[in-house]
Amino acid sequence: MIPELGHFALALAVAFAFAQGIVPLWGAYRRDARLMNAAPAIAIGQLMALVVSYACLVWSALVDDFSVLNIAENSHSLKPLLYKITGTWGDHEGSTLLWCLILAGCGGAIALFGRKLPGSLRARVIGVLGATACGFELFALTASDPFTRVWPPPLDGRDMNPLLQDPGLAFHPPILYVGYVGFAVPFAFAVAALLEGRVDAAWGRWVRPWALGAWCFLTGGIALGSWWAYYELGWGGYWFWDPVENASLLPWLTGTALLHSAIVVEKREALKTWTVLLAIGTFSLSLSGTFLVRSGILNSVHSFANDPARGVFILVLLGLVIGGSLLLFAFRAPAMTGSGLFAPISREGALVLNNILLCSITAVVLTGTTYPLFADLLLNTKLSVGAPFFNATVFPLAIPVFAAMALGPMLSWKRAALWPAFRRLWWALLVALAAEMFVVLKMHALPAMAFGCAAWIICGALADVVDRARLFRVPLHDSFGRLRGMPRAAFGTTIGHAGLGVTIAGIAGMSLAVQSIVLVKPGETVHLAGYDWTLEGVRDAAGSNYSARVATIDVRRNGKLVTVLEPSLRTFPVQQMTTTEAAIETNGLRDLYAVIGGEREGSAVLRLHDNPLAPWIWFGALIMATGGMISLADRRLRIGAPARRAVPAIAARA
Amino acid sequence: MTRRRLLLLAPLGATVLAGGAFFAMLVRMTQGKFDPRGVPSMIIDKPVPPFDLPDESGAKLTNADLATGRPVLVNFFASWCEPCVEEAPVLMQMKQRGVPIYGIAYKDKPNATLGFLRGHGNPYARIAMDEPGRVAIDWGLYGVPESYLIDGQGIVRWRYVGPLTADVATTQVAGLMRKFA
Amino acid sequence: MRALALALFLLAGPAFAISDPSEMLPDPKQEARAEQIGSQLRCLVCQNESIENSGADLARDLRKIVRQRVVAGDSDRQIVDWMVARYGNFVRLRPPFDATTALLWGSPLIALLAAGGIVMAGRQRRDEAAPRALDSAEQAKLRTLLEQ
């Protein structure tokens, strides 16, 4: 009964989405206030239908209803409760339904939080979201229905891939999807603006919080996926330039460009074409990523059950959404003329450079990821484009971004001079050079340069705050006053930029990672990175649906016990798979990392790592997302008007 | 059409082209003509890579033995390989239709190989034992089973990845045997 | 077929990617070189890993071959060529630089130039559209209008 209810709710959602797509857009076209004002209610209706639908899927998983095919294929009665719930989004059908739920959630969010938007814009935004959602929900209903039944129901399910039965991977999809799908809102804003025929400063101000929110989640989702790979896959790697990873990086890059470009639209009414194109492009990249992963075209470890037939459906959907919006762009964009003129050396100029560089990196990653496909189709040659290519091409483009990041916020709008901006950063440069000197003898050239850049970025971000507070130039009391009056967005910028610096420092630090693969008997000690690692023993353990062999490793430094690591090797009988669980101990500055491989004649194969600055990689991402959240909390963004300045003397450099 | 308009149409143009290409890829994937995971064979139209292995009776089997003057099928298999079990009846049928088949046992202990053949039938004229698996790497093997057609002069002409099916045997192999006879 | 592909992935689980210490070369420099070469070679079974990180049997065999050839004195180029002779360019994670990959390796430069060019063209158009200074006749007219 419940699965049928879920199926019906999904169908109802399609109906709502269809109405949501047509009614508000027609109302806006006809300037019919009643139709336009119906939009929020329809959006909430769609959201509620999908909440019910998804809840039915979760319920079916919780009660082990194996007559539902999706549950039979992906769940098991012995699977832990947490993974029964999170497993609903661990397969193609369930994750598609989650995607639809979040897309409906976007419409609902505009309905609830977008009350201050002008009626026609709000109606159009909700309308575009509805039309997009209708397409995806139709796909879910017809080609990816999670509620199909199987009869007779099997006695027990086929269990879920053990790799997915893990806290990190359990939460990675929803956070990532809020990021991916969240960019549908800026997309809808862009299409709505093109339909209205107007892109102005107000539009820039309204679109930015939504882009920022989606960006925070996308940053978190990507970081979570990377962290999971680090502790689950067992060899300390965290980014492989795998096609699916690249598919998540592409919208992140253009989303970052969008965030920054929208500032210029808001402040200076310039870069309108760029910003609208970025808004359309970011969501288009999310959608294309989804398509490429689920159709089986991409050769990746993240294989969902690949189905070219489904791929065609999604491709047609993409064609309508992306093609339609780009067609609208081509015809309406000429009407968007910017009024803000600016000199090449200015804050706008720096943001244009930012756009150019980020879009170039996006183009390179996109080319690299899809090149093997095109080469096979058009040239009939088989190529691989792997990590060595991306590392060689992306870093040269990224270094100028890092350099400009600290300088950009120091430049004034419209026309700036480089020298005064540098003068405010003199100490940041010193610290960066000192950091570089510190590591250049230990690291290779590229990581050393990255480490220097990281220091430059972090100090540059701090220099911005220091400068605004006129620290050490006015009495300390005044500085605090200025800091208190500073808009939250300024703190958000500093923290966000500093976060990236922390992540880059972590990546540079990992280049110094040392590892040792050894075959040891209990009682033997290995010396690595100044620590003594002693295998105390290997014992049996069991979980609800697996059996494990757990090793106990004492790590000592100068005789004192630092930590006890317990890596394990888990065997899942139903799926006949083994997974490794690395044991990681972090002190914030480095990770001690141990993995157990097989055992032979009483000895165990151990893989031991010392990873300097590894935790900074994900800590930095957390800081970036926090910075974004702080920016979101800025009153100016929420009420759509500049906040009263507490200290009127602060020049409007913001 | 002003230059600006052309520029603004560029993203749409690129998307349409890409969409067309992806559509072609999907269609070909359903037809089996496009496989993003497939590894191409580097020895097609080249002589058989030189090898020297013991056969099931201990005698030598080398690449020269494969140039018999008529086309032969070389089949890489192993006792531990499940799809090879699926393939066994098809190979037996081909043997009955007079196709000369040589087997190369990949990373398999001779006892296990012989046990497998006792259980599923022996379609092979001779079997080379590639226990270390090095010869297979010289052939560009990346999984078992794989089958190769060698013409009468010892040149590799065709490769099939995966278990041979009756369909492939009748449509493709038979045709190739005639073509290179 | 789908089930088979999935099965192949499942067989080569990450558990065995730990690799065997006895595989490693006794000379750390040679071992480092072998690892560096291996990290550029694609595992044909777990296709998104290099042979260094993959747990597949074939990856282990290829790792052994790389190490044997390093010890035998082959250059990096020769070892990669040996692999390419058997598996094609597909085995190289770092694609070769030739006519078919010119667009690929050139993409950073092409992207930068294209983006930069578009920005320049935009500025030029804006400069052209900006109102130009008044000439003397128009200035005279302006003066008379203002004095009225």
Side-chain angles (χ1 to χ4, degrees), chain A residues 246-260:
Chain A
N246 294 348
S248 67
L249 187 64
L250 291 170
W252 187 87
L253 289 167
T254 55
T256 307
L258 172 63
L259 279 181
H260 291 82

Side-chain angles (χ1 to χ4, degrees), chain A residues 242 299 342 371 384 386 600, chain C residues 42 47-48 90 93 100 123:
Chain A
D242 176 84
N299 188 345
F342 54 88
Y371 207 80
S384 292
R600 270 212 306 267
Chain C
R42 186 175 207 165
Q47 292 186 347
N48 272 77
F90 190 70
L93 283 173
T100 57
R123 286 194 74 79

Side-chain angles (χ1 to χ4, degrees), chain A residues 150-203:
Chain A
V150 61
W151 200 262
L155 282 173
D156 214 329
R158 283 229 304 256
D159 207 0
M160 192 165 71
N161 187 324
L163 286 177
L164 301 175
Q165 297 187 34
D166 170 278
L169 210 56
F171 293 106
H172 161 72
I175 297 179
L176 190 68
Y177 283 13
V178 172
Y180 273 152
V181 182
F183 276 109
V185 178
F187 169 79
F189 266 98
V191 174
L194 288 172
L195 287 172
E196 295 237 310
R198 185 178 58 216
V199 176
D200 52 18
W203 180 87

Side-chain angles (χ1 to χ4, degrees), chain A residues 109-325:
Chain A
I110 297 276
L112 291 172
F113 302 115
R115 276 187 263 260
K116 282 157 219 107
L117 293 171
S120 62
L121 184 65
R122 188 179 65 166
R124 286 199 163 103
V125 169
I126 292 182
V128 172
L129 285 173
T132 315
C134 186
F136 278 96
E137 283 157 23
L138 208 55
F139 170 68
L141 191 64
T142 54
S144 297
D145 187 4
F147 298 109
T148 34
R149 297 269 207 174
V150 61
W151 200 262
L155 282 173
D156 214 329
R158 283 229 304 256
D159 207 0
M160 192 165 71
N161 187 324
L163 286 177
L164 301 175
Q165 297 187 34
D166 170 278
L169 210 56
F171 293 106
H172 161 72
I175 297 179
L176 190 68
Y177 283 13
V178 172
Y180 273 152
V181 182
F183 276 109
V185 178
F187 169 79
F189 266 98
V191 174
L194 288 172
L195 287 172
E196 295 237 310
R198 185 178 58 216
V199 176
D200 52 18
W203 180 87
R205 189 163 49 242
W206 285 315
V207 85
R208 206 146 71 86
W210 298 97
L212 201 45
W215 181 87
C216 289
F217 277 94
L218 191 55
T219 305
I222 295 176
L224 203 54
S226 164
W227 184 56
W228 174 83
Y230 174 69
Y231 74 73
E232 181 67 31
L233 296 179
W235 60 82
Y238 54 91
W239 187 264
F240 311 94
W241 296 107
D242 176 84
V244 168
E245 290 175 330
N246 294 348
S248 67
L249 187 64
L250 291 170
W252 187 87
L253 289 167
T254 55
T256 307
L258 172 63
L259 279 181
H260 291 82
S261 201
I263 301 176
V264 183
V265 174
E266 179 186 344
K267 294 281 194 319
R268 300 280 302 145
E269 290 229 22
L271 296 191
K272 291 179 183 178
T273 317
W274 266 112
T275 308
V276 167
L277 190 58
L278 283 171
I280 295 178
T282 305
F283 188 55
S284 303
L285 285 169
S286 309
L287 288 181
S288 311
T290 312
F291 158 71
L292 288 173
V293 170
R294 289 163 197 270
S295 61
I297 281 185
L298 277 188
N299 188 345
S300 161
V301 290
H302 285 66
S303 30
F304 281 111
N306 300 314
D307 194 342
R310 273 177 183 155
V312 174
F313 194 131
I314 303 184
L315 190 61
V316 170
L317 196 56
L318 252 59
L320 291 172
V321 175
I322 302 177
S325 51

Side-chain angles (χ1 to χ4, degrees), chain A residues 2-8 10 52-54 56-58 60 67-70 93 97 144-149:
Chain A
I2 301 283
E4 275 66 42
L5 179 64
H7 187 100
F8 175 72
L10 181 57
V52 167
S53 186
Y54 203 83
C56 290
L57 185 62
V58 174
S60 303
S67 68
V68 177
L69 184 62
N70 184 270
E93 290 83 3
L97 194 61
S144 297
D145 187 4
F147 298 109
T148 34
R149 297 269 207 174

